[in-house]
Amino acid sequence: MTFTTEFLTFLAFTAVIMVHHCKSALPPPTGLSYEWVDAFTVNVSWKKPSGLQDKDVWYKYGREHPDSYVCMKSRNFTATLLTEETGSANWTYYVWTVEDCESPNESTKESKIIQTPKPRAEVKDIKCLITRTRELNCSWIPGNQPLKLSYRICGRTEELIKPLRECVRPYVGAGRNGCYLIADGVKNDTCVLSETDAGLSTFRIAPMIDPPELSVREEGDGLKLSWMHPKFGKGCSWTYTVCFKKCIHSEKCLDFTTEPVVMPYDKSCRYEFRSSVKTDNYCKTIFSERGKVVSYGTNEPTDETLTVVAIVLPVILSVCIFLSCYCFRRHRSIICPVIPDPSAIFKEMMMNGNKELKTTTGSLYTPVPEPIESCKVDLVADNIVVPLNS
């Protein structure tokens, strides 16, 4: 009895598992394919799963990360794919079958790699500036191959997917080439195709405007900053960024939503200002680059400079004095010869004079004694008469 009960329980459990397994084994979609409608738009489609009817299943699809998906009944979808938004010329899409959008019962995921007709060719530093007539003046750094620009309003509807328009009035400037797009750069999003013989690039224009003209003047103890407001986007709020440097300090940037602005002023410093502007998060993104540098004031020696001078100057002076003393001591006999004392000279003259007199007195001339010949006298007799002549 016990064996029979356990056996029946096992069979029931196995049946539940098998039913659940069969229920979850939905067949995946087949025959995934894609077609480029134009340079920006791709249409992806697939065939229904084998053994199922479209009315019995739903489909989910997602790009790159299937956790972010779209659930629908149809067996195709249209997407806008731009190379410069992802930095790639290919994308991977996943498609799978589900019972319904909330059911965990789903098939395995089928993937499809979508590639652009040509390899990705990056455009170097492309900028599109809104002109006074709201046209777009697009310029770029030229490469080795000629570049062709085409464009249309971004979108996936049949009304928007039309033949692309070509850029007009091309020009060649100093280090940059460009042309004009006849499109409202404020009202519409514009998608652009840049194409060479070797590759292509697609992107959505981020329209730019000229930087605001900044005015700086002294007012009391501060500096008053003011600027011209953009002529576009009247219904939008603008954020103005002012970056400034003072003396040798690093640059700081502050954001403002109104003008004029008064900021503290250190009269011993030279200020350098640059400004830019952009729309807030609730409007279409329009921005400017930083404008030209606007300078005000002059740099004067700071306390730190005076401290450095007070320390360094005595050191330099001490070194100079030491070198002077060394040179003087080394060449003292040349620079300052010994000058005898006049009284000593006179005394020496007197002393030397007496010595000469004493020397002269003690050494009078003494004639050399002449040799004396000895005389020999012979005695003669008395009777001898000496002749007178002898």
Short mmCIF file of all heavy atoms in Angstrom, two decimals, residues 189-214:
data_model
loop_
_atom_site.label_atom_id
_atom_site.label_comp_id
_atom_site.label_asym_id
_atom_site.label_seq_id
_atom_site.Cartn_x
_atom_site.Cartn_y
_atom_site.Cartn_z
N ASP A 189 14.73 68.07 -35.64
CA ASP A 189 15.94 67.26 -35.52
C ASP A 189 16.37 66.85 -36.92
O ASP A 189 15.56 66.31 -37.69
CB ASP A 189 15.69 66.01 -34.68
CG ASP A 189 15.65 66.33 -33.20
OD1 ASP A 189 16.17 67.38 -32.82
OD2 ASP A 189 15.09 65.52 -32.44
N THR A 190 17.63 67.06 -37.25
CA THR A 190 18.13 66.77 -38.59
C THR A 190 19.14 65.64 -38.52
O THR A 190 20.10 65.70 -37.74
CB THR A 190 18.79 68.02 -39.20
OG1 THR A 190 17.85 69.10 -39.18
CG2 THR A 190 19.20 67.76 -40.64
N CYS A 191 18.89 64.61 -39.32
CA CYS A 191 19.83 63.49 -39.44
C CYS A 191 20.68 63.66 -40.68
O CYS A 191 20.16 64.02 -41.75
CB CYS A 191 19.08 62.16 -39.51
SG CYS A 191 18.31 61.67 -37.95
N VAL A 192 21.96 63.42 -40.56
CA VAL A 192 22.91 63.70 -41.63
C VAL A 192 23.68 62.44 -41.99
O VAL A 192 24.08 61.66 -41.11
CB VAL A 192 23.90 64.82 -41.22
CG1 VAL A 192 24.94 65.05 -42.30
CG2 VAL A 192 23.15 66.11 -40.95
N LEU A 193 23.86 62.24 -43.29
CA LEU A 193 24.71 61.18 -43.82
C LEU A 193 25.95 61.82 -44.42
O LEU A 193 25.84 62.63 -45.35
CB LEU A 193 23.96 60.37 -44.88
CG LEU A 193 24.82 59.47 -45.78
CD1 LEU A 193 25.46 58.35 -44.97
CD2 LEU A 193 24.00 58.92 -46.94
N SER A 194 27.12 61.50 -43.89
CA SER A 194 28.39 61.93 -44.48
C SER A 194 29.02 60.70 -45.13
O SER A 194 29.21 59.67 -44.47
CB SER A 194 29.31 62.52 -43.42
OG SER A 194 29.64 61.56 -42.45
N GLU A 195 29.34 60.82 -46.40
CA GLU A 195 29.75 59.65 -47.16
C GLU A 195 30.97 59.94 -48.01
O GLU A 195 31.08 61.00 -48.63
CB GLU A 195 28.60 59.18 -48.05
CG GLU A 195 28.80 57.84 -48.70
CD GLU A 195 27.56 57.37 -49.43
OE1 GLU A 195 26.60 58.17 -49.57
OE2 GLU A 195 27.54 56.20 -49.86
N THR A 196 31.90 59.00 -48.01
CA THR A 196 33.05 59.01 -48.91
C THR A 196 33.03 57.71 -49.71
O THR A 196 32.17 56.85 -49.51
CB THR A 196 34.37 59.13 -48.14
OG1 THR A 196 34.54 57.95 -47.33
CG2 THR A 196 34.39 60.36 -47.24
N ASP A 197 34.00 57.56 -50.60
CA ASP A 197 34.09 56.32 -51.38
C ASP A 197 34.39 55.12 -50.48
O ASP A 197 33.99 53.99 -50.79
CB ASP A 197 35.17 56.44 -52.45
CG ASP A 197 34.81 57.47 -53.52
OD1 ASP A 197 33.60 57.75 -53.67
OD2 ASP A 197 35.72 58.00 -54.18
N ALA A 198 35.07 55.37 -49.35
CA ALA A 198 35.51 54.26 -48.50
C ALA A 198 34.51 53.91 -47.41
O ALA A 198 34.47 52.77 -46.94
CB ALA A 198 36.85 54.59 -47.86
N GLY A 199 33.68 54.85 -46.96
CA GLY A 199 32.78 54.57 -45.85
C GLY A 199 31.75 55.63 -45.66
O GLY A 199 31.62 56.58 -46.46
N LEU A 200 30.99 55.50 -44.57
CA LEU A 200 29.92 56.46 -44.28
C LEU A 200 29.83 56.67 -42.77
O LEU A 200 30.35 55.89 -41.96
CB LEU A 200 28.59 55.98 -44.85
CG LEU A 200 28.03 54.63 -44.37
CD1 LEU A 200 27.30 54.76 -43.04
CD2 LEU A 200 27.08 54.06 -45.41
N SER A 201 29.12 57.74 -42.43
CA SER A 201 28.87 58.07 -41.04
C SER A 201 27.50 58.72 -40.96
O SER A 201 27.14 59.53 -41.82
CB SER A 201 29.94 59.01 -40.50
OG SER A 201 29.62 59.45 -39.20
N THR A 202 26.71 58.34 -39.97
CA THR A 202 25.38 58.93 -39.78
C THR A 202 25.28 59.48 -38.37
O THR A 202 25.77 58.87 -37.42
CB THR A 202 24.27 57.89 -40.01
OG1 THR A 202 24.52 56.73 -39.20
CG2 THR A 202 24.23 57.46 -41.48
N PHE A 203 24.63 60.63 -38.23
CA PHE A 203 24.54 61.25 -36.93
C PHE A 203 23.37 62.23 -36.91
O PHE A 203 22.86 62.66 -37.95
CB PHE A 203 25.83 61.98 -36.56
CG PHE A 203 26.27 63.00 -37.57
CD1 PHE A 203 25.90 64.33 -37.46
CD2 PHE A 203 27.07 62.62 -38.66
CE1 PHE A 203 26.31 65.26 -38.39
CE2 PHE A 203 27.48 63.55 -39.59
CZ PHE A 203 27.10 64.87 -39.47
N ARG A 204 22.97 62.57 -35.71
CA ARG A 204 21.94 63.57 -35.47
C ARG A 204 22.63 64.88 -35.12
O ARG A 204 23.48 64.92 -34.23
CB ARG A 204 21.03 63.12 -34.33
CG ARG A 204 19.72 63.90 -34.21
CD ARG A 204 18.99 63.45 -32.95
NE ARG A 204 18.92 62.00 -32.83
CZ ARG A 204 17.90 61.28 -33.28
NH1 ARG A 204 16.87 61.88 -33.86
NH2 ARG A 204 17.90 59.96 -33.13
N ILE A 205 22.26 65.94 -35.79
CA ILE A 205 22.95 67.22 -35.59
C ILE A 205 22.65 67.76 -34.20
O ILE A 205 21.50 67.77 -33.74
CB ILE A 205 22.51 68.24 -36.66
CG1 ILE A 205 23.18 67.91 -37.99
CG2 ILE A 205 22.86 69.66 -36.24
CD1 ILE A 205 22.81 68.86 -39.10
N ALA A 206 23.70 68.20 -33.52
CA ALA A 206 23.57 68.96 -32.27
C ALA A 206 23.79 70.42 -32.63
O ALA A 206 24.93 70.87 -32.76
CB ALA A 206 24.61 68.49 -31.26
N PRO A 207 22.71 71.17 -32.87
CA PRO A 207 22.86 72.54 -33.39
C PRO A 207 23.58 73.45 -32.41
O PRO A 207 23.38 73.37 -31.19
CB PRO A 207 21.42 72.99 -33.64
CG PRO A 207 20.59 72.12 -32.76
CD PRO A 207 21.31 70.82 -32.65
N MET A 208 24.41 74.32 -32.96
CA MET A 208 25.19 75.26 -32.16
C MET A 208 24.82 76.69 -32.53
O MET A 208 24.30 76.95 -33.62
CB MET A 208 26.69 75.03 -32.39
CG MET A 208 27.16 73.64 -32.04
SD MET A 208 28.90 73.38 -32.50
CE MET A 208 29.69 74.65 -31.51
N ILE A 209 25.08 77.59 -31.61
CA ILE A 209 24.92 79.02 -31.87
C ILE A 209 26.21 79.73 -31.49
O ILE A 209 27.09 79.14 -30.85
CB ILE A 209 23.73 79.62 -31.08
CG1 ILE A 209 23.95 79.43 -29.57
CG2 ILE A 209 22.41 79.00 -31.52
CD1 ILE A 209 22.89 80.09 -28.71
N ASP A 210 26.33 80.98 -31.89
CA ASP A 210 27.51 81.77 -31.52
C ASP A 210 27.53 81.99 -30.01
O ASP A 210 26.47 82.16 -29.38
CB ASP A 210 27.51 83.11 -32.25
CG ASP A 210 27.73 82.97 -33.74
OD1 ASP A 210 28.55 82.11 -34.12
OD2 ASP A 210 27.07 83.67 -34.52
N PRO A 211 28.71 82.02 -29.39
CA PRO A 211 28.78 82.28 -27.95
C PRO A 211 28.30 83.69 -27.63
O PRO A 211 28.40 84.60 -28.46
CB PRO A 211 30.27 82.11 -27.62
CG PRO A 211 30.97 82.29 -28.93
CD PRO A 211 30.04 81.81 -29.98
N PRO A 212 27.74 83.90 -26.46
CA PRO A 212 27.24 85.23 -26.10
C PRO A 212 28.38 86.24 -25.99
O PRO A 212 29.48 85.91 -25.53
CB PRO A 212 26.57 85.00 -24.75
CG PRO A 212 27.22 83.77 -24.20
CD PRO A 212 27.56 82.92 -25.38
N GLU A 213 28.11 87.46 -26.44
CA GLU A 213 29.10 88.53 -26.33
C GLU A 213 29.11 89.04 -24.89
O GLU A 213 28.12 89.57 -24.39
CB GLU A 213 28.76 89.65 -27.30
CG GLU A 213 28.85 89.24 -28.76
CD GLU A 213 28.57 90.40 -29.69
OE1 GLU A 213 28.43 91.54 -29.18
OE2 GLU A 213 28.48 90.19 -30.91
N LEU A 214 30.26 88.90 -24.24
CA LEU A 214 30.38 89.22 -22.82
C LEU A 214 30.91 90.63 -22.64
O LEU A 214 31.87 91.05 -23.31
CB LEU A 214 31.31 88.22 -22.14
CG LEU A 214 31.46 88.29 -20.63
CD1 LEU A 214 30.13 88.01 -19.94
CD2 LEU A 214 32.51 87.30 -20.15
#
